[in-house]
Amino acid sequence: MTAVVERVSVPVGPRAIDDPYSMTTVTLKVPHKRSWVAHRHPEHELLWGSSGGLLRVVVDGVTWDVPPSAGLWLPAGSLHQVTAGAGTEFFCTYFRPEAHAAPSHCPGLFGVSALLREVLLHMHRRNMPDEARRRAEQVAFDMLQPLEVAAVEVPMPTDPRALFVARALVANPADQRSLSEWALTAGGSVRTLTRVFAQGTGMTFAQWRIQVRVRAALTYLAAGMPVSVVSRRVGYETPSAFVAVFRRVTGRTPGAVMGRPGTAPEPYLLRA
């Protein structure tokens, strides 16, 4: 018996840049929550400068929350799905692959300094002489630097009730509701939710939630957010409590991963 392979068509966006330019930036404003279907681009892409709401990107099964002070680098051809919350504004800069050597061949967070932001927005000008444009583009490429942050994969449960809870906590890691409180919303008893979480993720609910919080914290820390702000954003009442959990899970202090440029994202060995 011959196996039948279903071929799924993945949308490919049109080319955004033509000679003589090597990059272009577009602005997106989303008055209502919007999700784009999974797609690819023939160019490299940097999603950056989010403000007013959530900007979440799933790349090859890995979820990234893009903070305001950083951008997510997507090499040409990366399959990605974008979700922007209501009121979100962000920028997409496209880079022609053959124009410059790619700063990274893997998806990851890049620092977006105030200077880089101004240079990228400067590319909106249509009346720039070609030579001035080339100089500005070279400056932008020179400033593109990856942040040292892990793409932490957190397993998601398959049971619909547990998945409902998991998705809500990924969207808001600071949610403090207990599993008994979640049971009132998601359905099922505490015992049932405990069992299906363990079966679907290989972790207890408490262990799983810590992983989600640490993943979110890594993103914020690499973007340069203060530890006190990060601790509140991921659900800890005091910075000291957050630091203790973060160090136990990653083996490092939050200060060791704050906004330090590196050559590539470095994996973290997370402990349950």
Side-chain angles (χ1 to χ4, degrees), residues 97-127:
E98 62 271 21
H100 296 271
S104 175
H105 297 291
C106 300
L109 288 177
F110 273 51
V112 179
S113 65
L115 178 57
L116 177 57
R117 175 187 176 91
E118 292 306 314
V119 172
L120 293 178
L121 293 179
H122 189 60
M123 302 302 173
H124 280 303
R125 292 183 55 186
R126 301 293 183 182
N127 60 343

Side-chain angles (χ1 to χ4, degrees), residues 231-252:
S231 64
R232 292 193 300 271
R233 286 203 173 195
V234 299
Y236 292 94
E237 294 183 358
T238 64
S240 60
F242 163 65
V243 170
V245 171
F246 187 90
R247 187 165 190 170
R248 174 169 59 83
V249 173
T250 67
R252 305 176 71 177

Side-chain angles (χ1 to χ4, degrees), residues 148-160:
E148 186 182 331
V149 64
V152 179
E153 295 190 53
V154 177
M156 298 291 278
T158 55
D159 181 272

Side-chain angles (χ1 to χ4, degrees), residues 44 60 73-76 78 97 100-108 110 146 263-265:
H44 306 308
D60 297 327
W73 173 263
L74 300 173
S78 298
H100 296 271
S104 175
H105 297 291
C106 300
F110 273 51
T263 57

Side-chain angles (χ1 to χ4, degrees), residues 25 163 267:
T25 298
L163 186 59

Side-chain angles (χ1 to χ4, degrees), residues 191-213:
R191 173 181 283 186
T192 298
L193 283 178
T194 300
R195 174 175 53 81
V196 294
F197 246 101
Q199 290 175 342
T201 68
M203 291 179 275
T204 67
F205 172 73
Q207 290 170 333
W208 183 88
R209 180 157 61 180
I210 286 174
Q211 302 293 300
V212 169
R213 288 177 169 178

